[in-house]
């Protein structure tokens, strides 16, 4: 079953709606409109440049298959980021927007009770990138993404 976006359109329908002249591809501007329709934000110049540079040079724009692949990857990244946010929120029991060493200890006691405090401290120090004694969501997300890339 195809997923739809917040406008209720399936991804191929968004492609067709943005390909107004039925060219069979999306130009840079068409792509930007499609991202707004699908994700609710206008892509940055860097994001648009990145996508357009990956397009087959023998075509004039993004073909449907490429578009669907780009959208699938963006949706997976969005889903993963939401999962990371959910985990962070579960660790942040006091809703402060950051994690302390105490938060880490409590969380690790639940998920890995045999882990030594020394290891937990090492992990905390590794994740606390600016060594301020707090792990922000940005620090946490970076650590989670680093773990993903190594796996």
């Amino acid at each position: 079953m195809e997923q739809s976006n917040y406008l209720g359109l399936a991804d191929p329908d968004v492609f067709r709606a943005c390909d107004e002249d039925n060219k069979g591809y999306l130009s840079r501007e068409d792509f930007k409109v499609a991202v707004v329709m699908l994700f609710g934000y206008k892509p940055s110049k860097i994001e648009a440049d990145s996508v357009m540079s990956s397009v087959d040079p023998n075509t004039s724009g993004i073909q449907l298959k490429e578009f669907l692949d780009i959208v699938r990857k963006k949706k997976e990244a969005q889903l993963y980021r939401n999962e990371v946010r959910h985990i962070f929120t579960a660790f942040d029991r006091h809703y402060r927007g950051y994690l302390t060493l105490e938060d880490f200890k409590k969380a690790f006691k639940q998920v890995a009770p045999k882990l030594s405090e020394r290891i937990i401290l090492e992990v905390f120090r590794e994740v606390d990138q600016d060594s301020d004694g707090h792990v922000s969501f940005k620090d946490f997300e970076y650590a989670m993404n680093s773990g993903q890339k190594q796996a």
Side-chain angles (χ1 to χ4, degrees):
M1 186 168 127
E2 274 185 45
Q3 280 193 312
S4 61
N5 56 57
Y6 73 100
L7 294 177
L9 295 172
D11 302 341
D13 295 333
V14 171
F15 180 90
R16 286 188 277 283
C18 293
D19 179 16
E20 290 179 7
D21 302 329
N22 294 319
K23 306 175 297 286
Y25 64 87
L26 298 183
S27 68
R28 178 190 187 89
E29 289 308 307
D30 296 336
F31 171 73
K32 288 162 90 173
V33 171
V35 170
V36 170
M37 289 175 72
L38 286 166
F39 298 99
Y41 77 92
K42 182 180 175 189
S44 67
K45 180 181 181 337
I46 293 170
E47 182 178 353
D49 287 348
S50 172
V51 167
M52 296 313 289
S53 71
S54 68
V55 170
D56 182 348
N58 298 323
T59 63
S60 302
I62 303 168
Q63 307 289 323
L64 177 61
K65 184 180 179 309
E66 290 173 300
F67 175 75
L68 294 176
D69 193 44
I70 291 164
V71 168
R72 180 185 52 75
K73 287 177 183 169
K74 285 182 73 54
K75 285 182 177 179
E76 286 171 1
Q78 196 174 46
L79 187 64
Y80 178 72
R81 190 164 200 267
N82 289 343
E83 288 174 11
V84 171
R85 171 66 73 183
H86 184 75
I87 294 166
F88 180 84
T89 303
F91 280 26
D92 182 14
R93 295 175 173 210
H94 301 287
Y95 307 105
R96 294 175 296 220
Y98 61 85
L99 304 175
T100 63
L101 177 57
E102 213 44 50
D103 295 327
F104 257 61
K105 286 178 183 177
K106 286 179 182 167
F108 276 103
K109 287 287 177 243
Q110 288 184 332
V111 295
K114 292 185 181 2
L115 212 54
S116 73
E117 283 207 24
R118 184 181 59 77
I119 299 291
I120 295 169
L121 179 60
E122 284 178 27
V123 170
F124 182 81
R125 286 182 176 153
E126 182 80 23
V127 176
D128 180 16
Q129 292 189 321
D130 57 6
S131 302
D132 66 352
H134 297 121
V135 172
S136 66
F137 176 70
K138 186 177 174 184
D139 291 340
F140 188 79
E141 182 180 39
Y142 179 81
M144 294 290 283
N145 287 339
S146 295
Q148 278 290 103
K149 289 180 181 90
Q150 291 169 2

